[in-house]
Amino acid sequence: MPQYFTTVAGVPVDPRTARVHEEGWQSWSPSGSYALDDHTHRPADTNWATVCYRPGRTVPPATFQGEGLLALDAGDGSPVRLWAATDPTTSVPSIRLTVRDGRAEISADGPVTESTHAGPDGIQGALAAWADGLALPAPRPAPTVWCSWYEYFTAVTEDDIHENLRAMDTLDLPVDVVQIDDGYQSALGDWLTLSGRFRSRAAIADAIRARGRRAGIWTAPFLVAPHSELAARHPDWLVRDSDGAPLHAGHNWDHDLYTLDTTHPEAAAHLTDVFATLRAEGYDYFKTDFLYAGALDGVRHSGADALTAYRAGVALIREAIGADAYLLGCGAPVLPSIGLFDAMRVSPDTAPHRRPEADDYSQPGQDAAEFTGSGRQWQHRRLWINDPDCLVARPAVETRERWAAHVEATGGLMASSDRLLSLDAWGVATTRRLLSSGGAA
């Protein structure tokens, strides 16, 4: 679909000192501020363009582009200027900035509003002032979390959960929530069918709660694996492309990805049943991941547009788990998620290594997570509680001290993701300190 951009402003800039903030589309999309001659972060391949950026919104060379938000510090002492979507939950225009002969030209492919900020903190202050203007209710404080992902990945077993549950007591770690991540389910979409490494979800939740902690669980609720039972039995529950084939939502886990059409009444009932069942089993902390899939353009049963369908799908989840459960979003379109979540991942994944693959800042790596996590600090306690991603503090983690300092400085959701018995004295002390802070930095 072609994009048609209309000029909305022209601003004189000092090319030596001006800076531009690009807001990326979703959690993993690079977001932050750049000097006018900086290298801007763009997708290194077409799959990552779908899974981690905004599909179909390529950016011309020598052009800055924010998805629904773009801010400019002209570098001449004038107030910061900010351009934003008029209604960011329903329509998110792409906003571009190009510079020629000392003048920035701003254009957009949809309605935007312009504001200025002469107060403190420059671009971050301008973004914070914009968020304050939304007048959202203050988000609930986040619980502290232990998560299985960064130690066990998809190979996690039920016994791994029990071992770490015991270790929390042994090491006296203030963990509120024990969250089972990807690997317990048989396939994406078949959330209530266990993999062979797990015996009983309900029994694990009971064991967690018996030790005075809360049970948490991971899902990617809008993704469906082609080999899943859901795809085989209910192909009509999938979002379609214009040719009638299942919409391609990218490639991960060594297979292609499909999208659940939550506007189909039976698919909506299925999604509600999944989350109501998990809640009844004792889980009250839900990490919902790869949410970008629910906002992909495609043909849906009801004819709803992508953002309307996305917000309605998240609303189904919230209704099923109840208002008291804690809901964390990840891989989520940022502006369309306003008002839906308690906490939000605001960066790509961290990793035991520093540099992301192919130097693509949407990919796992501490450098990428720090860049975008810092660039989105303005969202914390305004749109939701920021999730900077988990602390990984075991000795094998590269530059673990620097990563821990970043997580602590954000003041956001504090989560540990190591095999706890593998931590050395520094790792235990650092994990205990960050969890004890409860995001108070």
Side-chain angles (χ1 to χ4, degrees):
M1 182 181 298
Q3 293 172 265
Y4 300 99
F5 283 80
T6 300
T7 300
V8 296
V11 182
V13 294
D14 184 335
R16 300 166 300 171
T17 54
R19 295 193 70 82
V20 180
H21 174 91
E22 294 184 333
E23 184 61 34
W25 171 241
Q26 54 121 308
S27 299
W28 307 323
S29 308
S31 293
S33 66
Y34 303 87
L36 296 187
D37 59 354
D38 278 348
H39 165 76
T40 49
H41 298 296
R42 300 290 181 251
D45 68 33
T46 55
N47 183 56
W48 293 343
T50 297
V51 175
C52 301
Y53 294 80
R54 190 174 190 180
R57 302 295 177 102
T58 55
V59 186
T63 302
F64 297 95
Q65 181 164 304
E67 302 303 339
L69 273 177
L70 185 139
L72 169 67
D73 180 342
D76 57 5
S78 61
V80 173
R81 294 173 182 251
L82 182 145
W83 295 269
T86 302
D87 184 353
T89 62
T90 61
S91 178
V92 182
S94 297
I95 307 169
R96 289 179 176 172
L97 184 149
T98 57
V99 179
R100 179 178 298 175
D101 299 328
R103 188 172 181 82
E105 180 178 282
I106 296 85
S107 59
D109 66 353
V112 298
T113 58
E114 180 178 347
S115 59
T116 60
H117 176 73
D121 301 323
I123 284 175
Q124 284 283 310
L127 292 163
W130 177 81
D132 287 337
L134 299 175
L136 298 173
R140 290 183 286 171
T144 58
V145 180
W146 178 85
C147 164
S148 62
W149 178 248
Y150 286 108
E151 181 74 59
Y152 303 100
F153 298 96
T154 57
V156 65
T157 69
E158 183 167 332
D159 291 340
D160 295 327
I161 305 300
H162 288 295
E163 179 200 274
N164 284 278
L165 182 59
R166 293 189 297 269
M168 293 167 204
D169 290 341
T170 302
L171 299 173
D172 190 27
L173 295 177
V175 174
D176 298 323
V177 173
V178 178
Q179 183 228 305
I180 304 167
D181 213 281
D182 186 11
Y184 69 89
Q185 78 285 355
S186 62
L188 300 176
D190 297 338
W191 304 111
L192 300 182
T193 305
L194 293 175
S195 69
R197 296 181 301 280
F198 282 77
R199 298 178 291 275
S200 170
R201 270 188 325 271
I204 301 175
D206 288 344
I208 293 170
R209 296 194 299 160
R211 289 182 178 265
R213 307 185 195 274
R214 296 165 58 187
I217 199 161
W218 173 95
T219 61
F222 302 138
L223 285 184
V224 178
H227 61 273
S228 66
E229 296 233 353
L230 187 151
R233 294 182 177 181
H234 303 288
D236 54 322
W237 292 5
L238 303 176
V239 178
R240 299 281 159 172
D241 64 21
S242 58
D243 296 323
L247 181 69
H248 179 68
H251 188 91
N252 205 346
W253 296 276
D254 297 320
H255 58 72
D256 288 338
L257 304 172
Y258 297 159
T259 299
L260 183 70
D261 182 0
T262 57
T263 74
H264 191 294
E266 293 177 7
H270 165 77
L271 187 68
T272 296
D273 179 62
V274 166
F275 281 91
T277 299
L278 295 173
R279 186 69 179 89
E281 290 176 346
Y283 295 90
D284 70 352
Y285 176 98
F286 295 87
K287 179 180 177 182
T288 50
D289 206 350
F290 291 81
L291 296 176
Y292 74 88
L296 292 173
D297 290 328
V299 179
R300 290 173 167 82
H301 178 83
S302 73
D305 67 89
L307 296 190
T308 298
Y310 168 72
R311 288 184 63 87
V314 176
L316 285 173
I317 294 170
R318 171 56 81 185
E319 184 177 3
I321 64 176
D324 58 330
Y326 204 84
L327 186 59
L328 165 65
C330 186
V334 172
L335 298 190
S337 295
I338 290 172
L340 297 178
F341 294 91
D342 296 300
M344 177 63 70
R345 171 74 73 74
V346 291
S347 72
D349 283 11
T350 188
H353 51 270
R354 179 145 288 278
R355 300 299 297 176
E357 184 180 350
D359 209 32
D360 185 316
Y361 266 46
S362 72
Q363 296 304 294
Q366 296 167 34
D367 278 344
E370 288 176 12
F371 173 79
T372 295
S374 298
R376 285 179 166 155
Q377 190 63 20
W378 61 273
Q379 297 176 9
H380 184 47
R381 297 198 181 106
R382 295 183 176 90
L383 305 186
W384 34 61
I385 298 297
N386 279 11
D387 172 16
D389 208 5
C390 298
L391 171 69
V392 279
R394 57 192 182 269
V397 172
E398 185 180 320
T399 60
R400 59 178 179 163
E401 296 87 353
R402 177 174 163 182
W403 175 247
H406 168 74
V407 173
E408 187 171 22
T410 67
L413 189 153
M414 293 292 161
S416 164
S417 193
D418 291 295
R419 177 176 179 256
L420 295 173
L421 294 181
S422 74
L423 294 173
D424 60 3
W426 182 91
V428 171
T430 301
T431 300
R432 184 182 295 119
R433 187 181 78 252
L434 266 64
L435 292 175
S436 297
S437 75

